[in-house]
Amino acid sequence: MTTTTPSPRKQASVDADSSRVHKLGAVGGDWLDQRVAGGGLVKFMARKIFPDHWSFMFGEVALYSFVILLISGTFLTMFFDPSMEEVVYSGPYVPLQGETMSRAYESTLEISFELRGGLLFRQMHHWACLVFMVAIFVHMFRVFFTGAFRKPRELNWIVGFTLMVLGMVAGFSGYSLPDDVLSGNGVRIIDGLMKAIPVVGTYLSMLLFGGEFPGTDIIPRLFTIHILLVPALILGLIGVHLVLLVLHKHTQYPGPGRTERNVVGFPVFPVYAAKAGGFFFLVFGVITLISATTSINAVWVYGPYDPSPVSAGSQPDWYMLWTDGGLRLIPGWEFTIFGYVISLNMLIPFAVYGLLLASLALYPFIEAWVTGDDREHHLNDLPYNAPVRTGLGVAWLMVYLILALAATNDLIAIALNLSINDLTWAFRIGIFVAPVLAFFITKRLCLSIQRQKRQKALHGEETSRVVRTGTGEMLEIHAPLSDYDRWVLVQHDDYRPLSAGKGVSSLRAKASSFFFKDRIEPVTPAELRAALEHAGHEKHVIDEATGGDYRTPAEKVVH
């Protein structure tokens, strides 16, 4: 085998070219930096510190899922035809050949059966939407249960809430586009909700549909909303959300060295840049794998939209289930006044949906009003240290869950061989009873955990080992806590009920009593000193009785 070495002249030429490229890059970078001041921004962002905890990853999952939505949606937009013009299908899917359908439905079939990779991209788009909504939902309730919405992050909470609502709008407008029977039923529900609004409802419906339902304009209009209006709003709000995140710095869980004035973690570059890149491809890979192996929204099974049939067992995607459940639970109540039909079976669910969303959006301001706390908070609460907030969150989720289950009452009745009427009545009663029970059970569990943590902070970790002294006294051996572990157990805020007067209204005093009447007194410094002294005395007595050997007789025999 022979080897060759580059000639000195060629090597010098390569070095000269490389040096010239570096100089040009330096000149170009300096020219750009002088005009946009990018160097300082890059340095600031690269050294930004973020804490490291698995629960913070849900926000990243939502962001990466949205990127996948943009990529797959751009591909699908190139081949989807949002037209309601009627055509006769002559494509490769035999069961629908000769059927009259809209051009939108036909182009969906073409993407699914005739476009290479089309079905994969359709399913990636749908699965990414589901993951996007799951991630936003879990991320919001992680923020809720840990109190990460408190000052100065109330505005960012509103931004996140708006992103969740826009995600639901994007999802609904997206799965309505194929113009199949299932999506058409969803659009029909929206038409019914609008028409139930007294006086103006009919005009709103005609404005949206361009005439009598279904008209010929709804698919093109939903297409514009889905690919232009909503994504632009989501992109803008994601930008605002990230800017506020950087401006306020990231919240962190209590722990060693973590205070309200610092952030303990790793810099964006190179640690989080590498992690974020790998995590994006992991999310991308998982969504692609699910999309390639699990079918979703097989529109060819339902057939083109026809206003007359309703497919059995039809439900929207999970994040819209609760809206369908409310409509199924309310009886067909209606009455006529001044010639207008008041459809309570539509208006009551509509009001409930608004109340649920409004309570979630406004909760940070309600809690701030109740507590009167105007401080900045950068340390998260442990959920059991805020029992009423945690109980309210679980109650809200219980209402959401019952509404979602009610939307599947027909499927549950068939699967469990139950009466659908009995099941519906069980959900009607449960929506009033279950959230109240969930609140009180959650609250009592949180208070119990607080008591246990209080005892642990004072006496240490129980070892289940008991020593009998020479006097017959029985003493349990406790493993002492480190200063850091003990600090986590005693660092939380201690809120007390406010008394009416001196600028506190009676309503606010009652709300404060509801939040903080049942409370566990935190460990005081005097109690902690006394507990440590007592623990030292007990340890001395135990050491005298055992000689410092804490092994049981059985362990000594084995040894």
Side-chain angles (χ1 to χ4, degrees):
M1 183 174 70
T2 61
T3 59
T4 59
T5 58
S7 71
R9 185 174 301 173
K10 289 183 177 180
Q11 184 65 40
S13 176
V14 171
D15 291 343
D17 290 342
S18 177
S19 177
R20 190 177 298 111
V21 169
H22 283 111
K23 288 180 179 179
L24 288 173
V27 171
D30 182 64
W31 182 89
L32 187 63
D33 184 50
Q34 290 181 20
R35 285 153 180 80
V36 299
L41 179 62
V42 171
K43 182 179 179 180
F44 171 77
M45 290 300 301
R47 304 309 301 169
K48 189 71 177 176
I49 302 297
F50 284 94
D52 197 28
H53 194 273
W54 64 267
S55 66
F56 298 148
M57 297 171 66
F58 293 111
E60 293 183 57
V61 173
L63 178 62
Y64 303 152
S65 301
F66 183 68
V67 172
I68 298 170
L69 281 169
L70 292 179
I71 295 172
S72 57
T74 301
F75 176 86
L76 295 173
T77 302
M78 297 178 183
F79 302 98
F80 179 73
D81 185 357
S83 171
M84 297 185 72
E85 176 188 357
E86 291 191 346
V87 297
V88 177
Y89 182 68
S90 59
Y93 188 65
V94 176
L96 290 178
Q97 287 180 353
E99 291 286 335
T100 300
M101 60 186 63
S102 67
R103 175 64 187 135
Y105 186 74
E106 184 187 42
S107 66
T108 305
L109 296 178
E110 290 174 354
I111 292 172
S112 303
F113 296 120
E114 300 178 56
L115 179 64
R116 181 168 297 180
L119 182 58
L120 176 62
F121 270 87
R122 270 197 66 229
Q123 300 205 147
M124 283 182 65
H125 195 68
H126 204 127
W127 277 113
C129 176
L130 297 182
V131 174
F132 177 68
M133 291 305 302
V134 167
I136 286 183
F137 202 77
V138 176
H139 178 64
M140 281 199 68
F141 274 92
R142 193 278 302 172
V143 171
F144 179 88
F145 286 121
T146 60
F149 53 75
R150 293 173 294 175
K151 183 182 178 180
R153 297 178 179 82
E154 301 96 332
L155 179 59
N156 222 3
W157 170 265
I158 296 297
V159 171
F161 169 81
T162 308
L163 282 170
M164 182 187 73
V165 174
L166 286 175
M168 290 191 286
V169 174
F172 175 80
S173 60
Y175 70 63
S176 299
L177 291 179
D179 200 26
D180 60 298
V181 168
L182 183 62
S183 66
N185 290 335
V187 176
R188 183 57 160 169
I189 292 174
I190 295 298
D191 176 57
L193 283 172
M194 285 190 297
K195 286 180 177 177
I197 301 174
V199 183
V200 299
T202 303
Y203 299 100
L204 290 176
S205 173
M206 295 184 68
L207 181 66
L208 178 63
F209 291 95
E212 188 65 31
F213 178 88
T216 57
D217 299 329
I218 186 61
I219 297 300
R221 291 176 179 179
L222 287 176
F223 184 69
T224 302
I225 292 171
H226 183 70
I227 72 162
L228 182 63
L229 181 60
V230 175
L233 291 173
I234 291 178
L235 272 174
L237 288 177
I238 287 176
V240 172
H241 190 71
L242 295 177
V243 168
L244 290 176
L245 173 65
V246 172
L247 181 65
H248 295 150
K249 73 185 180 182
H250 207 293
T251 59
Q252 57 187 342
Y253 288 98
R258 300 172 185 175
T259 70
E260 298 283 6
R261 295 180 297 276
N262 70 355
V263 178
V264 178
F266 299 97
V268 170
F269 186 83
V271 178
Y272 274 105
K275 283 187 174 183
F279 193 40
F280 168 75
F281 287 108
L282 179 63
V283 173
F284 195 103
V286 169
I287 289 178
T288 303
L289 178 64
I290 295 173
S291 304
T293 56
T294 307
S295 176
I296 190 171
N297 197 26
V299 296
W300 51 89
V301 174
Y302 310 119
Y305 180 62
D306 183 344
S308 55
V310 176
S311 57
S314 60
Q315 281 88 27
D317 284 334
W318 73 267
Y319 51 88
M320 296 296 290
L321 270 177
W322 64 293
T323 60
D324 191 21
L327 297 174
R328 298 193 186 200
L329 290 185
I330 303 298
W333 295 337
E334 61 180 34
F335 60 91
T336 303
I337 182 171
F338 301 124
Y340 293 100
V341 177
I342 308 300
S343 301
L344 295 179
N345 57 326
M346 303 292 276
L347 293 178
I348 291 178
F350 208 61
V352 171
Y353 305 154
L355 181 63
L356 278 175
L357 293 176
S359 64
L360 192 61
L362 299 177
Y363 184 84
F365 306 97
I366 296 173
E367 184 173 299
W369 173 73
V370 170
T371 61
D373 187 357
D374 196 42
R375 298 169 299 164
E376 288 194 3
H377 293 273
H378 303 290
L379 281 178
N380 288 329
D381 281 336
L382 298 176
Y384 61 80
N385 284 330
V388 172
R389 179 203 299 154
T390 303
L392 290 174
V394 173
W396 194 99
L397 290 173
M398 188 60 66
V399 174
Y400 186 95
L401 179 62
I402 291 176
L403 289 175
L405 289 175
T408 62
N409 58 354
D410 52 345
L411 297 181
I412 296 175
I414 293 172
L416 301 180
N417 195 26
L418 298 173
S419 166
I420 191 170
N421 293 324
D422 294 343
L423 196 60
T424 301
W425 271 106
F427 286 136
R428 287 172 178 170
I429 297 171
I431 202 168
F432 293 101
V433 176
V436 177
L437 289 177
F439 170 78
F440 281 106
I441 292 173
T442 303
K443 180 182 174 182
R444 300 314 303 179
L445 285 174
C446 289
L447 292 172
S448 298
I449 294 173
Q450 282 189 43
R451 290 190 187 94
Q452 188 269 335
K453 298 296 184 182
R454 191 180 195 279
Q455 292 298 315
K456 183 177 178 181
L458 289 173
H459 304 295
E461 192 79 50
E462 295 181 354
T463 63
S464 299
R465 292 172 182 262
V466 179
V467 174
R468 186 175 65 184
T469 66
T471 61
E473 184 182 7
M474 307 293 286
L475 298 176
E476 183 180 8
I477 299 173
H478 288 81
L481 300 178
S482 68
D483 291 338
Y484 288 137
D485 291 338
R486 187 180 294 108
W487 181 84
V488 171
L489 298 178
V490 302
Q491 53 76 39
H492 57 279
D493 290 324
D494 177 32
Y495 292 105
R496 296 175 181 271
L498 301 175
S499 300
K502 296 182 180 180
V504 178
S505 65
S506 59
L507 177 61
R508 185 179 174 191
K510 291 178 181 177
S512 177
S513 177
F514 170 74
F515 267 74
F516 307 117
K517 181 180 180 181
D518 297 325
R519 49 188 291 277
I520 304 300
E521 288 286 346
V523 177
T524 64
E527 286 180 309
L528 189 57
R529 282 194 301 270
L532 292 177
E533 290 174 2
H534 180 69
H537 172 71
E538 277 195 349
K539 186 177 186 303
H540 178 70
V541 174
I542 291 172
D543 287 345
E544 282 187 347
T546 62
D549 187 355
Y550 296 163
R551 291 177 298 170
T552 64
E555 290 173 341
K556 292 177 180 179
V557 171
V558 171
H559 180 72

